[in-house]
Amino acid sequence: LEKGVDPLGPDNKIIYMTGPLTGTISPSSGRFSAVTKSPLTGLWGEANSGGQWGRDLKRAGFDGIIIEGVAPRPVYLVVDHGKAELRDAEGIWGTSVAETTKSIKDALGKRFNVSCIGVAGENLVRYSAILNDVHRALGRCGLGAVMGSKRLKAIAVAGNQKFTLADREAFREAAKRASDFANESLLKMTLEVYGTAMVLDLVNVKGGFPTRNWQSGTCSYADAINGPAINEKILVGRKACFACPIACGRVIEVKSGKYACQG
Ligand code: SF4
């Protein structure tokens, strides 16, 4: 980037990038990153997300995507087994992440996986996120606003490209060793049981739990929302990103009241 580039201008870029192991059986390697000049800080902005989208970008035939410029009208990018094209997104502009994902899958087929912005990104909210697999987030540094500034609503990826490994058997053994190591770790055991809410009590004791928009670093009702409370009240399942033995993702259900939901 040139010095002084406007984070929400045409010359800023979003660089989506996978790693060399993304899409292989190597444990927890399905993640991917996106980087940009942040509209929130004016500095380097980077976020990392899980789910299945990184694997699906690799299967579509690409290690990464570099987005630059500004579209004259809302568009979304379709990447299908080595080919890419922009399509009109006027009909889905103004819809939520869940609605956008459903609309694109209805139009293209369920084999497509979607990374997209909601209305916050469209409206250039400087801390807005880009989400993939509906619930996984590139949640830092305002990447959603940069995507919105480019009038890019979503990137849908699909494909069945195979990976070439120099020594498949040696790779399988190394991946198993790494997986065994993860499975025996205390971190995995606690993440699997309580999800990332495992750290809630610790950060609360240390005064680092953001409460009432950081008016306080401790929360008086932490016991009601920590890992054990989630397990007892609303947990209905666990979910893993691609090839991850840890499965820290939570599937919850709030059965009644104004916050009733499932996901
Ligand atoms: S399931 Fe949890 S630990 Fe595993 S890759 Fe996803 S976020 Fe990370």
Side-chain angles (χ1 to χ4, degrees), residues 28 31 136 239-241 244 246-249:
S28 310
R31 305 187 62 90
R136 290 281 169 183
K239 210 171 186 179
C241 300
C244 181
I246 298 169
C248 76

PDB file of all heavy atoms in Angstrom, residues 28 31 136 239-241 244 246-249, ligand 1:
ATOM      1  N   SER A  28      -6.355 -28.759  13.463  1.00  0.00           N
ATOM      2  CA  SER A  28      -6.665 -27.332  13.655  1.00  0.00           C
ATOM      3  C   SER A  28      -6.090 -26.445  12.555  1.00  0.00           C
ATOM      4  O   SER A  28      -5.868 -25.253  12.767  1.00  0.00           O
ATOM      5  CB  SER A  28      -6.171 -26.840  15.025  1.00  0.00           C
ATOM      6  OG  SER A  28      -6.600 -27.704  16.043  1.00  0.00           O
ATOM      7  N   ARG A  31      -7.941 -23.079   9.550  1.00  0.00           N
ATOM      8  CA  ARG A  31      -8.173 -21.655   9.746  1.00  0.00           C
ATOM      9  C   ARG A  31      -7.550 -20.827   8.624  1.00  0.00           C
ATOM     10  O   ARG A  31      -6.707 -21.305   7.872  1.00  0.00           O
ATOM     11  CB  ARG A  31      -7.626 -21.237  11.110  1.00  0.00           C
ATOM     12  CG  ARG A  31      -8.210 -22.066  12.264  1.00  0.00           C
ATOM     13  CD  ARG A  31      -7.770 -21.522  13.598  1.00  0.00           C
ATOM     14  NE  ARG A  31      -8.256 -20.178  13.782  1.00  0.00           N
ATOM     15  CZ  ARG A  31      -9.431 -19.865  14.341  1.00  0.00           C
ATOM     16  NH1 ARG A  31     -10.214 -20.814  14.797  1.00  0.00           N
ATOM     17  NH2 ARG A  31      -9.809 -18.613  14.450  1.00  0.00           N
ATOM     18  N   ARG A 136     -18.711 -18.047  12.233  1.00  0.00           N
ATOM     19  CA  ARG A 136     -17.280 -17.835  12.489  1.00  0.00           C
ATOM     20  C   ARG A 136     -16.870 -16.457  11.980  1.00  0.00           C
ATOM     21  O   ARG A 136     -17.291 -16.051  10.904  1.00  0.00           O
ATOM     22  CB  ARG A 136     -16.453 -18.923  11.816  1.00  0.00           C
ATOM     23  CG  ARG A 136     -16.614 -20.275  12.483  1.00  0.00           C
ATOM     24  CD  ARG A 136     -15.778 -20.342  13.736  1.00  0.00           C
ATOM     25  NE  ARG A 136     -16.083 -21.506  14.549  1.00  0.00           N
ATOM     26  CZ  ARG A 136     -15.523 -21.745  15.718  1.00  0.00           C
ATOM     27  NH1 ARG A 136     -14.637 -20.894  16.221  1.00  0.00           N
ATOM     28  NH2 ARG A 136     -15.841 -22.806  16.405  1.00  0.00           N
ATOM     29  N   LYS A 239     -19.164 -28.122  18.448  1.00  0.00           N
ATOM     30  CA  LYS A 239     -18.884 -28.005  17.027  1.00  0.00           C
ATOM     31  C   LYS A 239     -17.396 -27.738  16.816  1.00  0.00           C
ATOM     32  O   LYS A 239     -16.817 -26.920  17.539  1.00  0.00           O
ATOM     33  CB  LYS A 239     -19.689 -26.823  16.482  1.00  0.00           C
ATOM     34  CG  LYS A 239     -20.109 -26.946  15.049  1.00  0.00           C
ATOM     35  CD  LYS A 239     -21.066 -25.809  14.742  1.00  0.00           C
ATOM     36  CE  LYS A 239     -21.642 -25.931  13.363  1.00  0.00           C
ATOM     37  NZ  LYS A 239     -22.582 -24.855  13.089  1.00  0.00           N
ATOM     38  N   ALA A 240     -16.798 -28.389  15.833  1.00  0.00           N
ATOM     39  CA  ALA A 240     -15.370 -28.189  15.562  1.00  0.00           C
ATOM     40  C   ALA A 240     -15.163 -27.516  14.215  1.00  0.00           C
ATOM     41  O   ALA A 240     -15.928 -27.726  13.278  1.00  0.00           O
ATOM     42  CB  ALA A 240     -14.649 -29.530  15.563  1.00  0.00           C
ATOM     43  N   CYS A 241     -14.114 -26.711  14.116  1.00  0.00           N
ATOM     44  CA  CYS A 241     -13.663 -26.238  12.813  1.00  0.00           C
ATOM     45  C   CYS A 241     -13.071 -27.434  12.063  1.00  0.00           C
ATOM     46  O   CYS A 241     -12.793 -28.479  12.654  1.00  0.00           O
ATOM     47  CB  CYS A 241     -12.590 -25.162  12.969  1.00  0.00           C
ATOM     48  SG  CYS A 241     -13.145 -23.712  13.870  1.00  0.00           S
ATOM     49  N   CYS A 244     -10.247 -30.146  13.364  1.00  0.00           N
ATOM     50  CA  CYS A 244      -9.815 -29.778  14.718  1.00  0.00           C
ATOM     51  C   CYS A 244     -10.312 -30.798  15.738  1.00  0.00           C
ATOM     52  O   CYS A 244     -11.517 -31.028  15.843  1.00  0.00           O
ATOM     53  CB  CYS A 244     -10.322 -28.390  15.093  1.00  0.00           C
ATOM     54  SG  CYS A 244      -9.755 -27.931  16.745  1.00  0.00           S
ATOM     55  N   ILE A 246     -10.239 -30.376  18.883  1.00  0.00           N
ATOM     56  CA  ILE A 246     -10.570 -29.693  20.136  1.00  0.00           C
ATOM     57  C   ILE A 246     -12.065 -29.421  20.264  1.00  0.00           C
ATOM     58  O   ILE A 246     -12.653 -29.609  21.326  1.00  0.00           O
ATOM     59  CB  ILE A 246      -9.755 -28.387  20.255  1.00  0.00           C
ATOM     60  CG1 ILE A 246      -8.259 -28.732  20.300  1.00  0.00           C
ATOM     61  CG2 ILE A 246     -10.162 -27.598  21.495  1.00  0.00           C
ATOM     62  CD1 ILE A 246      -7.332 -27.546  20.153  1.00  0.00           C
ATOM     63  N   ALA A 247     -12.690 -28.991  19.182  1.00  0.00           N
ATOM     64  CA  ALA A 247     -14.143 -28.752  19.165  1.00  0.00           C
ATOM     65  C   ALA A 247     -14.584 -27.793  20.268  1.00  0.00           C
ATOM     66  O   ALA A 247     -15.427 -28.117  21.097  1.00  0.00           O
ATOM     67  CB  ALA A 247     -14.918 -30.069  19.258  1.00  0.00           C
ATOM     68  N   CYS A 248     -14.019 -26.590  20.267  1.00  0.00           N
ATOM     69  CA  CYS A 248     -14.385 -25.616  21.304  1.00  0.00           C
ATOM     70  C   CYS A 248     -15.704 -24.913  20.985  1.00  0.00           C
ATOM     71  O   CYS A 248     -16.254 -24.219  21.834  1.00  0.00           O
ATOM     72  CB  CYS A 248     -13.277 -24.587  21.490  1.00  0.00           C
ATOM     73  SG  CYS A 248     -13.219 -23.344  20.193  1.00  0.00           S
ATOM     74  N   GLY A 249     -16.219 -25.052  19.760  1.00  0.00           N
ATOM     75  CA  GLY A 249     -17.462 -24.366  19.383  1.00  0.00           C
ATOM     76  C   GLY A 249     -18.652 -24.885  20.174  1.00  0.00           C
ATOM     77  O   GLY A 249     -18.744 -26.081  20.463  1.00  0.00           O
TER      78      GLY A 249
HETATM   79  S1  SF4 B   1     -12.787 -25.663  17.048  1.00  0.00           S
HETATM   80 FE1  SF4 B   1     -11.941 -24.116  18.463  1.00  0.00          FE
HETATM   81  S2  SF4 B   1      -9.841 -24.777  18.862  1.00  0.00           S
HETATM   82 FE2  SF4 B   1     -10.531 -25.842  17.011  1.00  0.00          FE
HETATM   83  S3  SF4 B   1      -9.801 -24.525  15.308  1.00  0.00           S
HETATM   84 FE3  SF4 B   1     -11.944 -23.963  15.794  1.00  0.00          FE
HETATM   85  S4  SF4 B   1     -11.747 -22.214  17.215  1.00  0.00           S
HETATM   86 FE4  SF4 B   1      -9.742 -23.267  17.184  1.00  0.00          FE
END
